[in-house]
Amino acid sequence: MEIFTNRMLSITENMALNMMRSSYSSQIKERRDFSVGIFDARGGLIAQGTHIPIHLGSLLGAVEALLERYSVEDMAEGDAFICNDPYLAGGTHIPDVSIVSPVFIEGQVIAFAANIGHHSDLGGAVPGSISPGARTIFEEGLRIPIIRIARAGAVDEDLLNLIASNSRLSEERRLDLKVQIAVNARGGEETRSLFLRMGVEKAQAAIADVYAYTADRLRRRVAALPAATHSFTTWLDDDGSGSAPVPIVATLTLGGETLHVDFEGTGPQAQGAFNVPFSALRATIYYCVKALLDPDLMPNSGMFTAVTIAAPEGSILNPRFPAACGVRSNTCQKVAGAVFGAFRDVLPEDRLIASSNDLLPSIMLSGTRPENGRFYVVAETLGGGGGARHDGDGMDAIHVHITNSLNMPTEALENEFPLLCEEYGLAVNSGGAGRQRGGLGIARQIRALEDSTTFSARSDSYIHGAEGIAGGGTGGLSAVVFNAGRDDEKALPTKVANFVLNAGQSIRIETPGGGGFGPAGDRPVEQIARDLRDGVITREAAERDYGADRVSAALAATIRP
């Protein structure tokens, strides 16, 4: 069973390598904002590539939508199906496009190869197809229900033209979609070869064994926890439309072999684009359970049986159609933070962690290339500070929870687009104070080199920072600043769309830090000295958090003979 599972994972990793190397857009080839998976003939997840946890929601939703819309008897070898819509096809937001391809042996569907890629633009009111202030999904771009895009190996060029023509970057869409179709073909061939080598019946028995083992293992982890109910609340500072802060309330009910996660008390459906479709919510919860209870658990359908989820209809976590969902990842990060917080009273101290930045700050710039006048869109999701642990400071400048994409390398940014990165470093003073310090956020400043460059940002946590634990301090806040360091410097909202920059003007974004662990008075002087020496905290902030006498001792320790 272990050999079989690792072989399936290796197939998904090969699919991922092919997708990364072959894709055209920087969003996929550089930032690796994509995921892959293999499903059984009934739609159960056999293996997901080790990439982005939230994408599990779209992959599951796409396969479920496919099997609901088409029977396997209607499918042929070489077929491929496409979708993206949260309401029509189990997606999580419009830019994430799923491709699902049946895998055949002797005329019978024995599995599905699936992948998802984040596309740089699929139309809508804002370049990049995500706007915090969007009021309905109709503003967010082209909605694609589950539909056949390749028939018996031949791509439907008419459908491909329709999709590409609804993007501001039509050539990029066309090429990336063809890569997604080809990646599934390769993954399907490897899956077919494995099933043939094992024998179909033995392969199916191995899948059933994997599911049963995973389910039993997770049920045992849950049953070992004391019966009780625990709640924790995190906050969105607003819902994308300037609302009051929105609570995200997670309540865990333990007892027996099932974990129930309920979100009663969570804020109402957002007027902006921060709503979370159920497919994204369940992917977030499955990630939390795996991360907290059994990190080595294989991600497959067996892990779903021990977890139940409920969210009030009409809430931000169970929105009614046609609510906008483009910024669902920021809300999902808060969901993960709430579930992690609810487990604080359950897990032993050596497995606890203070709140991380619990956010996915994003920036997007668009305009025209001076050398050829062609339109471009470049987006980046930025990391922040991780929460401190009982035995170590939080990690600096990382993605947390349900996202795992890479940064856009400065070299690629400046080579491909008329932009200049003026600063890229750690956000000083952003880690929450404590015996163990919270991780630091990121500071990134980008200057436009051409007029009429359009900027958008999707962030939060400008009011509520990452909560510390056991007396630890709160992490630093978000900021978005126009022309930072100049006479005309101006703070912007953390949620902004279509802000126009001219040549020479810049945008700076600072992301939140993580919360601290333990009282600040218990932090060793030598660690305060190290932070001062490394420049991650200023003297003024250190004196505020740790006391002037201890900072003086720390500064004395940094003086070398």
Side-chain angles (χ1 to χ4, degrees):
M1 185 177 64
E2 186 78 7
I3 293 170
F4 172 77
T5 302
N6 286 329
R7 179 64 183 120
M8 294 304 304
L9 286 173
S10 74
I11 291 173
T12 64
E13 293 303 316
N14 284 338
M15 291 172 66
L17 287 171
N18 287 327
M19 193 156 171
M20 178 187 68
R21 292 170 176 167
S22 304
S23 294
Y24 184 78
S25 66
S26 57
Q27 194 80 346
I28 296 176
K29 71 180 179 182
E30 296 285 1
R31 295 192 53 253
R32 303 184 192 179
D33 196 346
F34 68 90
S35 290
V36 299
I38 300 293
F39 293 77
D40 67 29
R42 296 180 179 179
L45 174 68
I46 305 173
Q48 181 190 9
T50 53
H51 295 282
I52 299 178
I54 195 174
H55 283 168
L56 173 60
S58 295
L59 292 173
L60 281 171
V63 175
E64 290 168 355
L66 172 62
L67 292 174
E68 183 178 341
R69 171 66 178 84
Y70 297 92
S71 70
V72 292
E73 290 76 20
D74 294 333
M75 301 175 191
E77 192 161 351
D79 282 1
F81 299 83
I82 186 172
C83 62
N84 73 342
D85 190 80
Y87 299 100
L88 300 174
T92 61
H93 71 171
I94 291 294
D96 282 351
V97 179
S98 297
I99 301 287
V100 184
S101 307
V103 181
F104 285 82
I105 291 180
E106 295 181 354
Q108 299 295 314
V109 174
I110 52 94
F112 293 96
N115 67 65
I116 182 172
H118 183 108
H119 287 251
S120 302
D121 184 84
L122 277 170
V126 173
S129 309
I130 303 175
S131 171
R135 296 304 179 100
T136 72
I137 198 165
F138 298 108
E139 301 171 51
E140 298 187 302
L142 181 66
R143 302 176 65 207
I144 308 172
I146 191 75
I147 188 170
R148 202 182 321 248
I149 193 170
R151 190 180 300 270
V155 174
D156 186 333
E157 294 292 339
D158 291 334
L159 178 57
L160 191 62
N161 284 339
L162 174 66
I163 296 170
S165 298
N166 276 275
S167 171
R168 296 170 175 87
L169 305 166
S170 57
E171 181 184 29
E172 191 176 273
R173 295 292 68 71
R174 181 187 307 278
L175 294 171
D176 279 351
L177 288 173
K178 285 190 171 183
V179 167
Q180 287 184 254
I181 295 168
V183 163
N184 278 359
R186 289 291 296 274
E189 183 57 42
E190 291 189 31
T191 303
R192 182 186 298 109
S193 297
L194 176 62
F195 277 48
L196 287 172
R197 186 162 63 250
M198 295 179 63
V200 174
E201 289 186 2
K202 287 186 176 180
Q204 291 174 336
I207 294 170
D209 287 345
V210 168
Y211 292 167
Y213 169 77
T214 303
D216 184 62
R217 179 167 155 171
L218 184 56
R219 281 195 294 265
R220 289 172 183 268
R221 297 286 188 272
V222 173
L225 300 172
T229 299
H230 307 277
S231 294
F232 193 86
T233 301
T234 55
W235 297 85
L236 282 167
D237 290 342
D238 67 75
D239 68 355
S241 66
S243 73
V246 180
I248 308 294
V249 183
T251 301
L252 311 179
T253 301
L254 297 165
E257 296 183 337
T258 302
L259 166 65
H260 182 63
V261 187
D262 195 293
F263 291 95
E264 187 67 40
T266 290
Q269 179 171 313
Q271 295 185 60
F274 281 72
N275 296 293
V276 176
F278 183 74
S279 54
L281 178 62
R282 63 177 174 173
T284 304
I285 301 307
Y286 296 148
Y287 148 77
C288 292
V289 171
K290 174 174 158 57
L292 289 166
L293 298 185
D294 196 340
D296 294 326
L297 195 69
M298 294 295 185
N300 59 59
S301 285
M303 65 183 285
F304 307 155
T305 59
V307 182
T308 58
I309 305 166
E313 184 179 2
S315 71
I316 197 171
L317 303 183
N318 188 7
R320 297 185 179 95
F321 175 80
C325 304
V327 197
R328 89 291 189 232
S329 54
N330 276 306
T331 310
C332 286
Q333 296 282 42
K334 298 294 185 180
V335 168
V339 174
F340 269 57
F343 267 100
R344 288 184 177 185
D345 296 328
V346 178
L347 300 176
E349 182 175 299
D350 63 358
R351 295 183 60 192
L352 295 179
I353 182 172
S355 294
S356 296
N357 70 89
D358 295 349
L359 198 61
L360 187 68
S362 306
I363 57 174
M364 185 169 297
L365 295 118
S366 61
T368 55
R369 304 174 191 266
E371 68 274 15
N372 55 24
R374 297 179 65 178
F375 192 77
Y376 73 87
V377 176
V378 57
E380 180 165 10
T381 54
L382 299 168
R389 295 148 290 155
H390 82 288
D391 60 351
D393 290 347
M395 297 178 69
D396 301 326
I398 59 164
H399 275 221
V400 297
H401 298 316
I402 49 90
T403 59
N404 194 33
S405 56
L406 301 185
N407 67 330
M408 175 67 74
T410 297
E411 296 82 358
L413 178 82
E414 296 182 345
N415 180 60
E416 294 193 32
F417 311 104
L419 302 167
L420 178 68
C421 182
E422 295 185 319
E423 182 180 344
Y424 192 23
L426 298 175
V428 177
N429 297 332
S430 59
R435 184 182 73 238
Q436 309 296 343
R437 172 181 54 74
L440 291 128
I442 288 174
R444 191 144 164 86
Q445 186 163 320
I446 297 174
R447 187 202 314 169
L449 300 181
E450 295 291 324
D451 289 343
S452 301
T453 299
T454 300
F455 167 77
S456 298
R458 309 185 302 274
S459 190
D460 197 73
S461 297
Y462 58 91
I463 297 174
H464 298 91
E467 187 172 316
I469 192 170
T474 302
L477 302 176
S478 291
V480 178
V481 183
F482 169 72
N483 279 349
R486 305 185 190 182
D487 292 340
D488 58 347
E489 174 183 310
K490 180 174 69 172
L492 297 180
T494 59
K495 303 171 183 67
V496 61
N498 290 329
F499 185 85
V500 178
L501 302 171
N502 288 320
Q505 295 178 331
S506 67
I507 285 290
R508 177 186 180 87
I509 182 169
E510 294 187 2
T511 67
F517 197 121
D522 292 346
R523 187 163 179 81
V525 168
E526 58 269 23
Q527 292 187 18
I528 300 174
R530 181 196 64 194
D531 286 347
L532 288 165
R533 185 171 60 248
D534 291 344
V536 300
I537 188 171
T538 61
R539 178 170 182 170
E540 292 75 18
E543 289 179 344
R544 177 196 66 208
D545 294 335
Y546 301 109
D549 291 343
R550 302 183 75 234
V551 169
S552 295
L555 288 170
T558 64
I559 300 173
R560 298 172 181 172

